[in-house]
Amino acid sequence: MALHWTTLHAVLWIILYLFPGNVQASPCAEVNSSSSLVPFGSPVTASCYIKDCQQQLEKKQDFLIKWKKNAHFIPSSKASKNNVNEILISNFTDTQVVLECLICDQNNCQVVGGVVIKAAYPPPAPQNLTCQLNLESVTLVCMWDPGIKTSDIPTNYTLYTQIRDASSPLKMHVVSPNENSFTVSRDWFPLFYEMQVYVEATNAFGQTKSNILVLDPMKTAKLDAPVIQGVGTQSFGCLEYIWALSRTQKWIKKFLHIELKLKSIKDKIHYKEQVSKPDSKVKVCGLLHGMSYESKIRVKYHNSSSWSEWSNSTVATTPMKAPTGRLVTWLKLLKPESKNQTAQLFWKPSSQFRPNSMNVLYTVSIMGSTKKKETVCVTDQLSCYFQIHAWVKKLYLTAINDAGKSNPTQVSVYKKREMDPVPFLKILPQTEATLSVKWKNPDTPAIRAYVLEWKPLCGTNSNYVSFENMDRNQTSFVISGLEPYMPYKISVYPTYGGGIGRPNSTLAYTKEKAPSISPKLEIGKITPSLVELSWDEIPLQQRNGIITGYRVFYRDEKNNTRVKDTERTTRHMIIKDLYPLTIYEMFLMTSTHNGSVNGSSIMVKTVSVDALEIVLIVIPACVGLALFFFGLCTCFIKQKWMKKYLWPVIPDPANSNIKKWTRADSLECIPPFKDVKDPALVYLSHVSLLSLPEKELSKGDDSIKSGNWPYNGKTVHAGPADSSHDSESFHSEQQSESVPYATVIFAEPYRRQPVPPPVYLRSESTQPLLGEEEPSSPRPYEEITSQVILSNIGHFSTSHNDLSAEEGRATLWGDFPMLRVDDTVKKILSLELASHSEKLRLREEELILKVQRHETDRNSTEVRVAMLTARIRNFKEHLQKHPKDKANKRWMLMSIDRRNKLLKYLRRSRYDAFEKVCAELGIIYTFPPEYYRRATKRWLVKKALCIKVFKEVQKQKAEKKNKALAQRKARSTSSNPAETQGTPV
Amino acid sequence: MYLFFGMFLALSTLRRFALSAPLPELGLTPSSQDMEVMKSSAFQDAAENAHSLISKILIEIPAAHKSLIYTTTLSLEESDLSSLQFLKESLGLPQPSPLQPISDKFKLDLSLGRIVEGLKLHKTLLKVIGELSDSKSDKLKELLYDLRDALLHVHKMQQLIKAANGPDKVTESQLREDLAPKLKNQYLSQVATHLALIQLKQFTQDASRSLQNMIISPLESESQDS
């Protein structure tokens, strides 16, 4: 460390004496630095030498020397001598530093001297060194980026070039200051040969080198535009070019990259890149036949070089070929009914169609009556009008050019026309050039396809019909390539299996605007109060949209403007309520969806009132008034008569006949109205009064008077035991003709008030209303339960079908021995008293007892058979009674089948049990019928043939087998000795 | 029929190939060993480059002539040099060794050697003449640089076929000594320049032809491969 310091001091003193320029003289101190400009990051030393400060520092004997760096104190090393102090900044990282030397005592510090030190970097390495050969002046221009400048210290550049040949020297080119490029003369670079280049940047603090660039100057050159010397063709779809470099570069005899740009008439551009030598042929294939191409060529020396400019263009045509591919057609028959129809055929090339020449003619021919093709049309357009006979079924469309003709496209003529159109067609503009078309399927499976047709209705190509064939699944299409403000007629034709439907057509615009003109108003009749106006339609070209309506503005002399609208279809208007002898200014405004335009205004003067007109108005008015008064007078005179005939007949409640018949009828049935009124207020909300013929009333009377309703009588005396009584009673009820004579509905007046029992009962039944219902009288259905207990056996005997069932029952119960008891018991315990299900259960138990294996056996096959048997018998019994009950019949058959199944199993598994069951239950088991197929004649023949074939095959097989056997035998006899020699593998 | 014709052609070419081996004196093609080297892309590239440069020299000669020769009687188009024969002999300009098509007698290395020798000779000659006649024509310099570059490529070709370089026919100092007294006369210096350029033109034409023979175009090489 000490050594370090001593060397530093030595350096310091040397600097101090060697560079007096750096010494900053001050009155009493000198501040020195090693250098005022230092490389960035390098160490810097500075010293402060207090020379002669006795005058200023007389009083301050003890002072310290301190350093400030950019106005901040920094620690300094110890003073080597009393009046010298030095400082070392080991890593100089600021661009500019002000070092100040201060003399300090206890109180304050005084600056005695200072020095400014600047730092700078060595220059940045030049970047992006590129060179380009200029072939015209044969010089190599090299350029580079100087890099980011860090300081304003001047930098000098030097370019070094060397031909990469052992003997060549490294050449130094000094670049003029402030320039970043250099032009190397021909001496120092070769052609077609590699050389290396680099740049060196130098400034006060050092030098940096760029990357070494190795290049062949030729590769950097941009060649001049080449020349196409000739174009020829020898094969289909190919063109051959002879090309050369420009005159001054003809000496280049190397393979170069060329690119050909071929532009066909349809503006399709092909690019073909090849490697070729100048003055040689280049063949380009894969081009369209019979198409003329405008060709240009450009060249570059190497892949990395830049392309030259494009050459002059040459036009050449490839050889023609006959057209190939199909055409898409659309046949329209204009007059379908007549014998000679006018047909309109449109076509367009399909995606596979190749015209193979620039001019194609199309011919339309029909198969004539002599089976010869007759040409009906030859055109270069894409449509044709011609006449065809009704019997023509097919047309042929052929494309022809100079080289030949294509295969004819067949077009079939539809027989049926006027079929259903598509039910719905909607057109929406999408952009200015496109329309979206949507339609609905006409809901028939016969639909095959659709034809969408569109054509402009005006303009230059108004005859040009465009179309598109679409399959049956498509229901929308976007038409493109349309013009705005142009009316288009869009039609959709559905194609069916046997014909074509009527079109669904719409007029549409892609974009609308106000019409170009508004029609001129024409004045018709003018009267004092009205003016008749009319105008012409706007020509289609000037409409620019669908006209939505017209509006007439008219203004009188006092500037009162009024407006009248009409629809778009009407083109005349009568303006009424005008003042006579007044001048009106009128104009017409025409509107489309997207704007409107005003027409020129006209002046109309209404005429004055005519004397004859006044007379014509006044006379009829007077006559009318006179007639009116006459009428009034007559009315007042014959008031009574008027009343009778003109006024409507209003029923007089006082004279109503209702009163009469209510009094005549039973008063005891309907309590007097007064009685009702007295106890409480009863609000009658609905009263219906019916008058009946007297006869019927008297009948009803009788029945009431007898007090013995057929309904009640029956229930009391007979007491219905089963439902048959019910029906009987209803029957009798129907017979007694009921008399609906009062319907009284009342509502409660107020709930909190005590309501006495209403005298009138509400009844909606059609029965005659009784004064009071007897609470004791039993209802027919109430009696059923009580009657069952009270009923005796006689009831059964009275039952209408008891007698008939008696015999059947005796035989039935014979099957059950348990039930064979004496008659009295039998009668008491008669099963007939039991419910049907109980009876069934008993029968079941009876049968089960016969066959069960043990006492608790409930699910063995035998028991199940027995249960089923009981059920089947029950069903049988029921079906005898009700032969039309199909549901139960079905259940029975199902049960029989199930029983058969069980029996089958039982027979198979335990025959003895099966026999026992059959015997006990009295079942006769019959086997199910075998599978049987009805033998038809056809089937028999087929079977016979099959058998025959089978036999033949068997015979042949047998023969083969025999043969094989014989052969094997023969072989075995012959090869026996050989077999002994070796084993076969 | 075409098939038969094709077969005949194939057979005849086969016979040609078969016969070329035992009769080397007839073949103008280089020997098979040289062929191998010649086919290499590096050799072809160098040959193409050299050919390009020599073509460049050929194109530049008229311009150089125009800039150097102001004596109207000395025209480059005039191919008849018989009237200048005397002066030519008296000037004693060094002549390049003649070039021949490549054959078994005149092999590739010899041909290249001659080209190198000729190029060097003309380079020296033109340099000396230019210095002695104090002409500072850019065109002449351009010619000299092109000659230098062409030499680079021919040297490269020589390296590829591992051919040694013969001694230089003339040295610059010797030639300067020889020509310095003769070219003091302005007319004579013009004649010397004229003669040198004509000589260069003839030589480069020969060299160009030789080099063109060495370049095998891809199509040619394919046909030979088959």
Side-chain angles (χ1 to χ4, degrees):
Chain A
M1 190 72 192
L3 190 74
H4 181 78
W5 280 113
T6 48
T7 49
L8 196 92
H9 287 183
V11 167
L12 203 81
W13 286 112
I14 288 163
I15 290 165
L16 209 140
Y17 291 111
L18 279 178
F19 305 103
N22 280 339
V23 175
Q24 306 282 309
S26 81
C28 73
E30 272 179 18
V31 180
N32 308 305
S33 72
S34 54
S35 169
S36 63
L37 197 64
V38 293
F40 216 86
S42 62
V44 172
T45 54
S47 66
C48 186
Y49 169 51
I50 311 295
K51 284 193 294 186
D52 190 21
C53 293
Q54 261 69 26
Q55 291 160 1
Q56 286 93 339
L57 307 164
E58 272 177 324
K59 296 155 195 173
K60 299 168 189 173
Q61 285 303 314
D62 296 326
F63 59 85
L64 281 167
I65 299 173
K66 287 189 176 177
W67 288 94
K68 256 187 180 179
K69 180 188 167 193
N70 286 350
H72 293 288
F73 281 106
I74 48 165
S76 59
S77 60
K78 284 177 210 165
S80 57
K81 279 183 182 178
N82 208 19
N83 51 356
V84 176
N85 193 306
E86 65 266 356
I87 187 165
L88 171 79
I89 299 165
S90 57
N91 191 7
F92 200 90
T93 51
D94 297 301
T95 48
Q96 188 179 336
V97 162
V98 180
L99 275 175
E100 286 167 321
C101 180
L102 296 107
I103 296 172
C104 296
D105 58 2
Q106 283 88 0
N107 297 322
N108 66 339
C109 292
Q110 288 292 321
V111 179
V112 290
V115 68
V116 179
I117 303 166
K118 282 182 180 175
Y121 285 107
Q127 305 284 322
N128 302 333
L129 175 63
T130 52
C131 295
Q132 196 177 8
L133 177 67
N134 186 344
L135 274 170
E136 209 165 305
S137 60
V138 205
T139 49
L140 189 71
V141 181
C142 290
M143 283 170 281
W144 58 90
D145 287 344
I148 304 151
K149 261 194 174 179
T150 50
S151 62
D152 36 336
I153 302 163
T155 311
N156 294 318
Y157 292 99
T158 322
L159 185 79
Y160 290 89
T161 58
Q162 186 179 24
I163 300 170
R164 290 191 99 186
D165 186 34
S167 58
S168 303
L170 184 71
K171 170 69 186 171
M172 189 176 88
H173 310 273
V174 177
V175 181
S176 52
N178 300 325
E179 268 193 32
N180 299 322
S181 66
F182 187 78
T183 309
V184 184
S185 65
R186 180 71 178 90
D187 315 22
W188 309 110
F189 68 88
L191 288 179
F192 306 108
Y193 207 81
E194 278 187 343
M195 64 183 291
Q196 56 187 34
V197 184
Y198 66 88
V199 188
E200 204 174 71
T202 319
N203 71 2
F205 296 111
Q207 55 189 35
T208 48
K209 264 206 260 178
S210 74
N211 293 331
I212 292 174
L213 179 71
V214 177
L215 70 135
D216 174 357
M218 274 308 285
K219 285 183 185 172
T220 63
K222 185 183 170 185
L223 297 175
D224 287 352
V227 185
I228 297 176
Q229 288 180 326
V231 192
T233 177
Q234 282 183 343
S235 45
F236 284 115
C238 292
L239 284 176
E240 282 169 5
Y241 297 86
I242 295 174
W243 70 281
L245 286 167
S246 71
R247 216 172 46 80
T248 52
Q249 289 166 6
K250 274 202 170 173
W251 48 271
I252 300 172
K253 308 274 182 187
K254 292 203 72 174
F255 279 96
L256 303 172
H257 291 260
I258 56 160
E259 191 176 39
L260 280 157
K261 183 161 90 172
L262 295 141
K263 193 171 141 192
S264 71
I265 278 183
K266 289 173 185 169
D267 287 338
K268 268 192 176 177
I269 299 175
H270 303 264
Y271 289 96
K272 305 267 177 182
E273 217 175 312
Q274 283 189 2
V275 176
S276 167
K277 249 184 178 181
D279 303 309
S280 64
K281 266 188 197 173
V282 182
K283 198 171 177 182
V284 177
C285 283
L287 303 174
L288 292 173
H289 300 291
M291 179 58 73
S292 96
Y293 285 95
E294 194 187 318
S295 334
K296 283 182 179 179
I297 192 170
R298 62 177 182 178
V299 65
K300 64 178 176 182
Y301 179 78
H302 188 256
N303 255 337
S304 56
S305 330
S306 53
W307 285 108
S308 72
E309 298 300 318
W310 286 105
S311 73
N312 56 330
S313 64
T314 320
V315 179
T317 310
T318 50
M320 263 191 248
K321 253 189 174 178
T324 54
R326 231 170 46 79
L327 291 158
V328 180
T329 59
W330 162 225
L331 179 70
K332 262 169 96 175
L333 295 168
L334 300 185
K335 283 181 191 169
E337 303 307 329
S338 62
K339 218 174 186 184
N340 261 342
Q341 317 171 56
T342 307
Q344 200 174 6
L345 186 68
F346 302 99
W347 59 87
K348 59 176 183 178
S350 67
S351 54
Q352 300 94 28
F353 184 77
R354 298 277 175 277
N356 292 338
S357 66
M358 285 191 285
N359 298 313
V360 182
L361 283 179
Y362 298 95
T363 59
V364 180
S365 50
I366 52 171
M367 197 66 91
S369 51
T370 52
K371 292 269 173 189
K372 258 189 177 181
K373 273 190 184 172
E374 286 174 18
T375 304
V376 289
C377 200
V378 179
T379 176
D380 59 346
Q381 302 293 314
L382 291 175
S383 66
C384 180
Y385 283 90
F386 49 89
Q387 296 274 327
I388 52 166
H389 282 288
W391 47 261
V392 172
K393 281 182 182 170
K394 268 169 191 171
L395 303 170
Y396 299 94
L397 177 67
T398 320
I400 299 175
N401 65 10
D402 291 347
K405 55 183 176 181
S406 72
N407 287 331
T409 306
Q410 234 180 50
V411 187
S412 48
V413 181
Y414 284 112
K415 285 293 149 204
K416 281 189 202 165
R417 282 145 230 151
E418 302 292 314
M419 292 173 88
D420 290 336
V422 288
F424 168 81
L425 177 68
K426 194 178 180 185
I427 292 159
L428 285 172
Q430 280 199 328
T431 62
E432 275 194 17
T434 55
L435 280 175
S436 139
V437 184
K438 281 179 184 171
W439 61 93
K440 262 189 186 167
N441 213 324
D443 264 352
T444 48
I447 192 97
R448 285 277 170 83
Y450 300 98
V451 180
L452 178 69
E453 184 196 87
W454 69 93
K455 67 171 182 178
L457 291 176
C458 61
T460 47
N461 48 358
S462 61
N463 289 326
Y464 187 76
V465 176
S466 312
F467 68 96
E468 190 71 41
N469 289 346
M470 271 161 290
D471 64 11
R472 52 190 292 182
N473 300 325
Q474 206 169 346
T475 54
S476 65
F477 188 74
V478 176
I479 306 171
S480 53
L482 305 178
E483 285 174 46
Y485 321 124
M486 184 74 86
Y488 285 95
K489 191 188 174 189
I490 294 158
S491 315
V492 176
Y493 293 79
T495 313
Y496 296 93
I500 196 152
R502 286 191 303 279
N504 191 341
S505 306
T506 314
L507 184 83
Y509 285 82
T510 54
K511 201 181 177 189
E512 292 183 32
K513 64 175 179 183
S516 307
I517 54 153
S518 193
K520 204 179 168 188
L521 281 174
E522 277 167 26
I523 303 155
K525 208 170 101 186
I526 303 175
T527 66
S529 65
L530 64 88
V531 171
E532 218 177 272
L533 293 170
S534 66
W535 55 89
D536 284 333
E537 210 172 2
I538 308 173
L540 207 56
Q541 292 92 330
Q542 288 166 326
R543 270 185 221 171
N544 302 333
I546 295 163
I547 285 166
T548 50
Y550 299 97
R551 177 175 280 191
V552 173
F553 290 82
Y554 55 103
R555 186 166 59 193
D556 63 6
E557 289 150 329
K558 290 168 192 166
N559 259 350
N560 297 324
T561 310
R562 279 186 282 175
V563 174
K564 202 172 177 193
D565 289 326
T566 59
E567 285 176 12
R568 62 199 173 97
T569 45
T570 49
R571 286 199 308 281
H572 62 87
M573 191 189 275
I574 294 165
I575 298 174
K576 291 173 188 168
D577 305 332
L578 301 177
Y579 300 109
L581 263 178
T582 316
I583 297 168
Y584 284 94
E585 191 186 348
M586 297 180 174
F587 66 88
L588 182 74
M589 188 176 90
T590 318
S591 309
T592 62
H593 288 294
N594 267 8
S596 48
V597 66
N598 291 338
S600 55
S601 60
I602 53 162
M603 308 300 261
V604 183
K605 192 179 178 185
T606 48
V607 290
S608 59
V609 181
D610 202 1
L612 185 73
E613 210 168 308
I614 297 167
V615 171
L616 279 173
I617 294 164
V618 168
I619 290 171
C622 289
V623 171
L625 268 175
L627 279 170
F628 178 70
F629 283 117
F630 178 74
L632 270 180
C633 289
T634 45
C635 286
F636 284 114
I637 290 157
K638 297 188 174 181
Q639 197 186 2
K640 238 185 182 176
W641 178 84
M642 282 283 289
K643 237 183 179 180
K644 196 174 177 184
Y645 288 99
L646 293 180
W647 266 247
V649 183
I650 298 163
D652 186 6
N655 300 329
S656 173
N657 63 339
I658 282 175
K659 204 173 151 192
K660 290 172 199 168
W661 63 264
T662 42
R663 213 177 289 155
D665 286 347
S666 55
L667 275 169
E668 60 264 36
C669 288
I670 306 161
F673 196 65
K674 272 180 187 172
D675 295 350
V676 183
K677 252 190 174 177
D678 285 338
L681 266 170
V682 174
Y683 294 90
L684 288 177
S685 61
H686 177 81
V687 178
S688 78
L689 300 165
L690 301 157
S691 62
L692 284 169
E694 280 186 74
K695 259 189 181 177
E696 282 174 13
L697 274 172
S698 63
K699 256 191 187 176
D701 245 343
D702 288 342
S703 60
I704 295 160
K705 271 172 188 170
S706 67
N708 193 7
W709 292 88
Y711 189 84
N712 276 345
K714 277 267 173 180
T715 50
V716 171
H717 293 292
D722 46 13
S723 61
S724 63
H725 280 279
D726 252 358
S727 65
E728 217 170 311
S729 72
F730 277 117
H731 188 63
S732 63
E733 191 189 55
Q734 277 161 11
Q735 275 177 346
S736 72
E737 288 155 56
S738 58
V739 188
Y741 75 98
T743 307
V744 183
I745 300 159
F746 61 92
E748 269 184 342
Y750 200 61
R751 276 194 185 185
R752 268 181 286 174
Q753 283 180 0
V755 184
V759 180
Y760 282 118
L761 286 174
R762 179 176 174 264
S763 165
E764 282 181 329
S765 78
T766 50
Q767 286 173 20
L769 197 70
L770 295 174
E772 241 176 54
E773 212 173 352
E774 288 170 25
S776 60
S777 65
R779 298 244 169 105
Y781 54 83
E782 280 173 351
E783 284 171 339
I784 296 170
T785 45
S786 59
Q787 288 289 326
V788 170
I789 307 156
L790 293 167
S791 69
N792 48 17
I793 304 146
H795 269 291
F796 271 113
S797 60
T798 53
S799 174
H800 70 282
N801 48 5
D802 269 1
L803 276 168
S804 59
E806 194 69 20
E807 288 168 19
R809 204 179 296 139
T811 50
L812 216 105
W813 301 137
D815 289 345
F816 305 96
M818 235 181 81
L819 300 174
R820 275 185 209 143
V821 283
D822 43 351
D823 283 0
T824 48
V825 178
K826 187 173 147 191
K827 273 176 187 170
I828 291 163
L829 300 173
S830 173
L831 273 171
E832 271 148 58
L833 301 182
S835 67
H836 189 75
S837 60
E838 275 175 340
K839 287 183 217 166
L840 186 61
R841 207 170 60 236
L842 270 171
R843 279 194 223 176
E844 222 176 73
E845 285 301 321
E846 201 66 30
L847 292 183
I848 286 167
L849 266 179
K850 282 185 186 172
V851 292
Q852 69 184 164
R853 292 188 200 169
H854 48 86
E855 264 182 45
T856 54
D857 178 19
R858 300 301 289 181
N859 62 349
S860 66
T861 319
E862 295 96 309
V863 171
R864 274 189 283 164
V865 168
M867 281 157 90
L868 280 169
T869 309
R871 200 174 294 170
I872 288 161
R873 283 181 187 159
N874 178 47
F875 277 129
K876 256 185 194 167
E877 190 188 324
H878 172 80
L879 284 170
Q880 272 170 3
K881 263 190 240 168
H882 310 284
K884 286 191 176 173
D885 190 349
K886 301 288 186 232
N888 277 320
K889 188 173 179 178
R890 181 167 160 270
W891 284 115
M892 184 184 80
L893 289 172
M894 277 163 76
S895 303
I896 289 170
D897 281 350
R898 216 150 72 215
R899 189 177 70 178
N900 274 0
K901 206 172 175 181
L902 289 169
L903 283 171
K904 189 179 165 188
Y905 165 72
L906 198 62
R907 184 173 177 274
R908 200 173 67 235
S909 55
R910 289 183 291 121
Y911 192 78
D912 52 334
F914 164 76
E915 273 198 322
K916 191 196 161 201
V917 166
C918 283
E920 287 289 328
L921 301 179
I923 304 165
I924 301 160
Y925 179 79
T926 49
F927 295 103
E930 278 185 357
Y931 175 73
Y932 172 69
R933 183 174 171 167
R934 203 167 74 86
T936 57
K937 198 172 179 185
R938 183 186 148 82
W939 181 77
L940 283 171
V941 170
K942 201 173 167 183
K943 188 152 191 185
L945 183 78
C946 275
I947 291 164
K948 204 173 176 184
V949 167
F950 178 74
K951 275 181 183 168
E952 281 296 316
V953 169
Q954 290 298 321
K955 212 186 263 176
Q956 276 179 8
K957 271 187 183 171
E959 269 177 28
K960 250 186 197 172
K961 224 182 231 173
N962 285 338
K963 254 187 196 172
L965 266 172
Q967 274 181 5
R968 209 178 291 162
K969 260 184 194 173
R971 213 181 294 156
S972 62
T973 48
S974 63
S975 64
N976 259 346
E979 264 176 22
T980 52
Q981 284 172 8
T983 49
V985 182
Chain B
M1 198 192 131
Y2 286 113
L3 190 76
F4 284 119
F5 184 66
M7 271 176 71
F8 170 74
L9 274 180
L11 279 171
S12 58
T13 47
L14 270 175
R15 193 178 58 186
R16 208 187 81 188
F17 275 100
L19 288 174
S20 64
L23 293 169
E25 60 271 18
L26 283 178
L28 289 168
T29 51
S31 69
S32 61
Q33 200 190 342
D34 287 350
M35 244 350 250
E36 282 304 310
V37 184
M38 276 169 75
K39 272 184 196 170
S40 74
S41 66
F43 185 89
Q44 286 297 316
D45 200 44
E48 274 176 5
N49 291 339
H51 184 225
S52 295
L53 282 165
I54 282 168
S55 308
K56 189 168 186 275
I57 292 164
L58 260 175
I59 290 171
E60 279 167 355
I61 285 171
H65 189 270
K66 204 177 174 184
S67 73
L68 286 170
I69 310 292
Y70 46 84
T71 314
T72 46
T73 51
L74 304 171
S75 163
L76 194 66
E77 277 73 44
E78 236 175 72
S79 55
D80 185 22
L81 291 172
S82 54
S83 59
L84 290 172
Q85 199 60 41
F86 174 75
L87 278 179
K88 193 180 175 183
E89 275 168 20
S90 68
L91 279 169
L93 296 176
Q95 297 277 326
S97 311
L99 280 168
Q100 278 178 22
I102 297 164
S103 64
D104 275 10
K105 280 181 183 170
F106 195 85
K107 285 188 176 168
L108 184 63
D109 53 343
L110 185 61
S111 174
L112 286 176
R114 289 269 173 93
I115 292 171
V116 168
E117 184 203 297
L119 288 172
K120 269 186 184 167
L121 185 142
H122 285 103
K123 195 180 149 198
T124 322
L125 183 61
L126 283 173
K127 200 177 171 186
V128 168
I129 289 175
E131 277 170 8
L132 290 175
S133 59
D134 279 342
S135 73
K136 280 169 186 168
S137 165
D138 287 339
K139 302 283 175 189
L140 186 67
K141 277 184 184 172
E142 186 72 40
L143 268 182
L144 286 170
Y145 299 139
D146 288 334
L147 281 168
R148 176 197 71 192
D149 292 349
L151 264 171
L152 281 174
H153 292 291
V154 184
H155 274 312
K156 204 175 174 185
M157 286 160 80
Q158 276 187 321
Q159 279 165 21
L160 284 166
I161 60 161
K162 287 159 191 161
N165 227 337
D168 292 352
K169 210 167 184 183
V170 281
T171 56
E172 202 180 312
S173 54
Q174 189 195 335
L175 194 69
R176 191 172 285 132
E177 271 177 30
D178 284 357
L179 289 177
K182 293 174 191 167
L183 297 186
K184 277 182 180 161
N185 186 333
Q186 208 177 31
Y187 177 76
L188 279 180
S189 81
Q190 285 273 302
V191 170
T193 318
H194 174 69
L195 286 173
L197 282 173
I198 284 177
Q199 198 177 299
L200 175 66
K201 192 184 169 189
Q202 282 163 353
F203 174 76
T204 42
Q205 275 169 348
D206 288 345
S208 171
R209 249 175 257 131
S210 300
L211 284 168
Q212 204 159 13
N213 279 337
M214 288 174 207
I215 296 164
I216 305 156
S217 70
L219 282 172
E220 204 180 313
S221 66
E222 271 169 34
S223 67
Q224 283 187 2
D225 284 343
S226 63

